[in-house]
Every structure is written in C-alpha cells, then in structure tokens.
Amino acid sequence: MPEEDEMRGVCSGFATTNDGVRLHYLEAGSGPDMLLVPGWSQTAAQWRHQIADFARTHHVVAVDHRGHGGSDKPDHGYRIARLSTDIHQLIDFLDLTEVIWVAHSMGCALAWSYWDMFGGDRLARLVLFDEPAVLVRQPYWPDGLAESLGALYGLGQIAEVVAGLRSPGSDAEALSAEFLDEMWTPAADEEDRRWVVAQNLLLPREYAGRLLLDNVMQDWRDVLPRIAVPTLVIGGSDSVIPSAAARSVASAIPGAVLRILRERSSHFAFWENPVAFNQEVRTFLDTSTG
C-alpha cells in the first residue's frame, strides 16, 4: 500500500465532465504544471513515486480516468477519444497552463488523441513511456514492419483477452492478474504486484474490456509528425513492449529525445526503478526548450 511519507501533502479533488462524470485526481506541490496520465486500468495512485519527487518543484496532478480508481464508473465513454476529452476538460477546470504531460502506456495514446483533436492546447512538453503507435499487427503489412513498430499483438490474441474480460462466465480477475504479471521484472516485490492488481480491478472488467479493445485498434502514426512540442520518448529493455516501439515513436516526432532504460526497466519501470525514470524526466525538462 502507499507509504505515508510519499503521500503526505497530496490532496484529492474532483472535476465533473460535460456528460456528468466526476473525475478523481491527486494534486500536490507548486510550480510548473505537470499532469501524470496513467495507462489502461491503472490509477493516479500508481504514480506515487513521481508525485513525491516532482511535487518538490512542480504543481503535480495525477488523474483517474472515468471508471478507474476513485472516479465515477458510468456505463459509457470507454473510448480513447472520450478519455482524452475528459483530460482536456480537467485541464480547463484546473486552469493548467504550459502542461508537462507525462504518460504511461495507454496514456500516450490519450496524448496523441488529445493532439489530434485539440492540437497543443495548453501543452508545453510530452513525456511518453512505453506505448507503440500501433499495437495490433496487420496481415497485409510487409515483412519486418510489425517488429519495427513494436506492434506485438495479433488480432485474435487480443480478441481472446477482451472476451475473457467481458464474458460473464470467465474469471476476469485471474486473467487480469496474469496479464499484469508480464509487465514486471522477476525482481518485482510480490506485495507491489498484488497492490497494483487491486488498483487495476477498481475498473470493472466489462469496462476494461471495452477500453482495451478501443485502445489496441488505434493507429497514431499520422499524428506523430504533427506534434510540435519538445518530447521525450522512453522505453525499457526489460519491458513486454519492445524497445523498437520507443525508437519508432521517437523517430516520427520532430526533434524527439529517445531514452531506453536498462535496469529494472519493465513496463512498470516508473514504479520498479523510479530514481532512473524520474532522472530521465528531470534531465529532459532541464535541457529542453519550448
């Protein structure tokens, strides 16, 4: 469970979207605005190591997407476009400016969707950790394209996962734990693993299945060349997401900086090795210019 010293001084708040959904967020610190955007089925609380560190120098906000964490759990809106619209409304509600958007996994897709719909409105920098621009391989692609993009799933493979999450007769919680287990290094603490699974299960599995399907079917390659703010792209050599994904994304965004983490560098590297992750972000913020 979260350590008290890391969460000291962190406040909770709620913002209501235009379709009546209350979004929960965590907030700490003062200074330039930093928005921490979780991935699929993740929560704001999972950014606790980043909140504790960056709140020393920044005004940090971490969001629970609709259905996730402490946010309302409506029966609608589990699509990338709706979640990125939610964040646009949260930014407006909190009057954030020159936002440093730090994203994990699906949070990168939300950044790309945000850019597609709202351009760089109120954004100053992007930090994108561990998400391919395309997740599902296409059968008509030429040899080698899927590998270069880091597109790691076949359509049938992901369909089985989605069916397992949504089917009334399946053990969706066990499937979720198995799915998440691939995202750690073998050295990850078992208590951490269990806590993260519990955080993930705060999103009802039916909604998780809907959102996962929408997420994996997107192709953001046409958006990346239009991004016009300084961008850091991070991958992990131990991650289930191939490092090729980060290389491909960074090569498509004008002027993007690429970093590949090497130690405890799983898909949850921001949790397993927060010192290295946070240092890469700080170095980027110290050296990049808007």
Side-chain angles (χ1 to χ4, degrees), residues 223-237:
V223 176
L224 302 185
R226 295 187 279 124
I227 293 174
V229 294
T231 300
L232 170 65
V233 182
I234 306 176
S237 59

Side-chain angles (χ1 to χ4, degrees), residues 121-161:
D121 185 35
R122 302 201 185 205
L123 301 185
R125 290 170 177 78
L126 297 178
V127 177
L128 307 171
F129 174 53
D130 224 28
E131 178 80 345
V134 190
L135 275 160
V136 172
R137 304 185 298 269
Q138 299 299 322
Y140 58 84
W141 283 353
D143 290 346
L145 180 57
E147 289 76 13
S148 68
L149 293 172
L152 66 163
Y153 296 121
L155 186 56
Q157 180 185 8
I158 206 67
E160 289 184 7
V161 175

Side-chain angles (χ1 to χ4, degrees), residues 34 54 127 232 234 277-285:
M34 174 179 285
F54 288 102
V127 177
L232 170 65
I234 306 176
F277 181 91
N278 295 356
Q279 184 56 54
E280 291 291 358
V281 175
R282 283 198 178 276
T283 298
F284 168 70
L285 296 180

Side-chain angles (χ1 to χ4, degrees), residues 32-236:
D33 292 324
M34 174 179 285
L35 182 66
L36 304 176
V37 183
W40 171 80
S41 205
Q42 314 295 315
T43 67
Q46 288 173 243
W47 288 110
R48 79 182 195 213
H49 301 309
Q50 286 67 47
I51 295 171
D53 185 354
F54 288 102
R56 296 182 292 112
T57 52
H58 291 74
H59 171 226
V60 180
V61 176
V63 61
D64 281 328
H65 304 304
R66 65 173 59 209
H68 298 63
S71 291
D72 286 352
K73 303 177 186 348
D75 63 358
H76 63 278
Y78 297 98
R79 289 177 292 276
I80 297 300
R82 179 65 246 190
L83 267 59
S84 57
T85 300
D86 289 346
I87 290 182
H88 188 252
Q89 293 174 8
L90 175 67
I91 288 173
D92 184 65
F93 172 79
L94 294 173
D95 195 24
L96 306 183
T97 59
E98 298 294 303
V99 173
I100 302 160
W101 179 310
V102 181
H104 170 232
S105 195
M106 186 193 73
C108 301
L110 295 185
W112 301 329
S113 175
Y114 186 103
W115 196 278
D116 198 31
M117 294 190 293
F118 309 112
D121 185 35
R122 302 201 185 205
L123 301 185
R125 290 170 177 78
L126 297 178
V127 177
L128 307 171
F129 174 53
D130 224 28
E131 178 80 345
V134 190
L135 275 160
V136 172
R137 304 185 298 269
Q138 299 299 322
Y140 58 84
W141 283 353
D143 290 346
L145 180 57
E147 289 76 13
S148 68
L149 293 172
L152 66 163
Y153 296 121
L155 186 56
Q157 180 185 8
I158 206 67
E160 289 184 7
V161 175
V162 172
L165 291 170
R166 301 185 68 179
S167 173
S170 69
D171 189 345
E173 293 190 5
L175 174 64
S176 301
E178 182 180 352
F179 192 64
L180 290 167
D181 196 51
E182 298 179 357
M183 299 180 183
W184 300 92
T185 68
D189 182 81
E190 184 59 31
E191 184 178 357
D192 287 347
R193 292 173 186 254
R194 289 196 302 267
W195 183 77
V196 167
V197 169
Q199 291 292 299
N200 277 246
L201 294 177
L202 295 173
L203 172 63
R205 297 297 85 185
E206 160 66 20
Y207 303 158
R210 293 188 210 170
L211 181 57
L212 180 62
L213 182 60
D214 188 75
N215 181 37
V216 301
M217 296 309 296
Q218 306 295 328
D219 183 339
W220 301 107
R221 285 178 291 173
D222 63 318
V223 176
L224 302 185
R226 295 187 279 124
I227 293 174
V229 294
T231 300
L232 170 65
V233 182
I234 306 176

Side-chain angles (χ1 to χ4, degrees), residues 254-284:
V257 175
L258 172 69
R259 293 290 183 266
I260 305 296
L261 302 177
R262 300 295 179 185
E263 296 181 16
R264 301 292 297 275
S265 56
S266 68
H267 191 56
F268 288 142
F270 66 99
W271 181 279
E272 286 201 68
N273 193 354
V275 172
F277 181 91
N278 295 356
Q279 184 56 54
E280 291 291 358
V281 175
R282 283 198 178 276
T283 298
F284 168 70

